[in-house]
């Protein structure tokens, strides 16, 4: 393998939801240096909140709802990264959904994923209906370990939930000098051409690849025209969809 040295894939799902992440390590690539991301300046009628305060607020909300501090922190970090990277559809905007899921026992607020089957380069994980980021982090970390040990890591999971931005998991691999890929199916909310009922999910996919120095390429997109979260985001604001 003169181009790619390490390759790992993670997938996880909840009923109709399946998520996937891939990490590929470049030859000779030892470390990845994080880039600084700039956000737009706040409008005159908007307030600026520090990242630490946002993280604390989200953790407090989730622990109050019934999630453990560890699980709440993992979720908060994913949502915070979504906002920092400009994916406002998958940041603090989605916190109420996760709070309701834990309060109403739609998903569990504590516990651990379990490995059902595994080989040197593959594994099947049961997410045990935990918060999506908890399952996603578990699977991606397992995939990275297998990629380092066996050259490829492909992890598939069931029993997961909404896991935030797909790019978060690819970035976990990229920060270790790997290529990272993440993908998921979603509930059927998209209408196929000439269909009268929704049948397809937004089915996002993400690819993260380290470049020279501190450069990098990160793709994070829905396979539909737009992510449903962006529709929800704009519905709460006096803006028109174009």
């Amino acid at each position: 393998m003169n181009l790619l040295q390490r390759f790992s894939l993670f997938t996880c799902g909840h009923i109709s939801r399946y998520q996937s992440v891939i990490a590929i390590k470049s030859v000779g690539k030892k470390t990845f240096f994080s880039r600084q991301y700039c956000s737009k300046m706040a409008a005159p009628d908007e307030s600026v909140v520090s990242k630490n305060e946002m993280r604390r607020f989200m953790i407090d909300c989730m622990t109050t709802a019934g999630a453990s501090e560890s699980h709440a922190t993992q979720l908060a970090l994913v949502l915070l990264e979504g906002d920092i990277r400009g994916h406002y559809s998958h940041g603090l905007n989605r916190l109420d959904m996760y709070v309701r899921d834990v309060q109403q026992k739609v998903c569990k607020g504590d516990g651990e994923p379990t490995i059902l089957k595994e080989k040197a380069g593959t594994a099947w994980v049961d997410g045990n209906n935990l918060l999506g980021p908890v399952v996603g982090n578990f699977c991606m970390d397992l995939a990275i370990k297998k990629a380092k040990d066996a050259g490829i890591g492909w992890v598939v999971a069931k029993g997961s939930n909404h896991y935030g931005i797909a790019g978060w998991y690819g970035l976990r691999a990229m920060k270790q000098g790997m290529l990272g890929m993440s993908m998921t199916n979603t509930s059927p909310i998209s209408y196929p051409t000439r269909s009268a009922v929704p049948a397809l999910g937004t089915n996002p996919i993400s690819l993260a690849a380290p470049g020279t120095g501190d450069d990098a390429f990160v793709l994070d997109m829905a396979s539909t025209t737009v992510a449903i979260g962006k529709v929800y985001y704009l519905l709460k604001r006096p803006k028109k969809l174009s």
Side-chain angles (χ1 to χ4, degrees):
M1 293 182 287
N2 58 355
L3 177 62
L4 301 177
Q5 187 178 21
R6 292 290 183 264
F7 176 88
S8 69
L9 164 67
F10 139 66
T11 59
C12 77
H14 173 256
I15 306 177
S16 63
R17 180 183 299 281
Y18 291 87
Q19 303 159 357
S20 164
V21 179
I22 301 174
I24 307 171
K25 188 172 183 180
S26 303
V27 173
K29 188 69 177 179
K30 300 301 182 183
T31 58
F32 171 75
F33 300 94
S34 299
R35 300 184 64 182
Q36 297 295 322
Y37 297 95
C38 299
S39 59
K40 296 180 181 179
M41 295 183 66
D45 60 340
E46 293 179 333
S47 300
V48 177
V49 181
S50 71
K51 293 187 292 184
N52 289 340
E53 177 61 17
M54 282 185 63
R55 181 170 62 247
R56 180 207 60 77
F57 174 76
M58 289 189 281
I59 292 173
D60 285 351
C61 287
M62 291 305 300
T63 53
T64 301
S68 68
E69 185 172 355
S70 172
H71 288 204
T73 300
Q74 291 185 66
L75 172 64
L77 291 175
V78 174
L79 299 185
L80 184 61
E81 185 71 11
D83 279 333
I84 291 172
R85 299 183 67 84
H87 296 291
Y88 304 120
S89 60
H90 285 68
L92 182 61
N93 182 58
R94 286 296 186 92
L95 179 61
D96 61 338
M97 176 187 71
Y98 293 101
V99 168
R100 289 196 307 270
D101 282 353
V102 173
Q103 285 180 327
Q104 298 173 8
K105 310 300 181 183
V106 174
C107 69
K108 298 178 181 177
D110 197 14
E112 293 294 329
T114 53
I115 300 174
L116 300 175
K117 294 182 180 180
E118 69 174 323
K119 293 186 179 295
T122 61
W124 181 29
V125 169
D126 187 344
N128 292 321
N129 199 31
L130 298 170
L131 287 167
V134 174
V135 182
N137 288 339
F138 178 90
C139 292
M140 189 69 233
D141 291 345
L142 180 59
I144 290 172
K145 181 179 183 301
K146 289 183 176 297
K148 290 179 178 179
D149 295 341
I152 183 172
W154 188 313
V155 182
V156 181
K158 66 175 184 176
S160 182
N161 290 282
H162 193 284
Y163 74 162
I165 58 171
W168 169 261
Y169 307 95
L171 287 168
R172 289 177 74 89
M174 190 175 73
K175 290 176 181 178
Q176 297 193 39
M178 297 184 174
L179 298 183
M181 179 177 263
S182 171
M183 64 192 75
T184 179
N185 75 329
T186 73
S187 301
I189 56 178
S190 177
Y191 289 77
T193 304
R194 291 184 290 276
S195 173
V197 294
L200 301 175
T202 56
N203 303 344
I205 183 171
S206 175
L207 173 64
T212 302
D214 64 350
D215 198 10
F217 170 81
V218 181
L219 169 72
D220 193 345
M221 58 172 281
S223 59
T224 51
T225 302
V226 66
I228 188 64
K230 291 185 177 180
V231 178
Y232 293 152
Y233 176 79
L234 290 175
L235 284 173
K236 298 178 181 179
R237 286 155 181 79
K239 295 181 180 179
K240 292 183 178 181
L241 289 173
S242 58

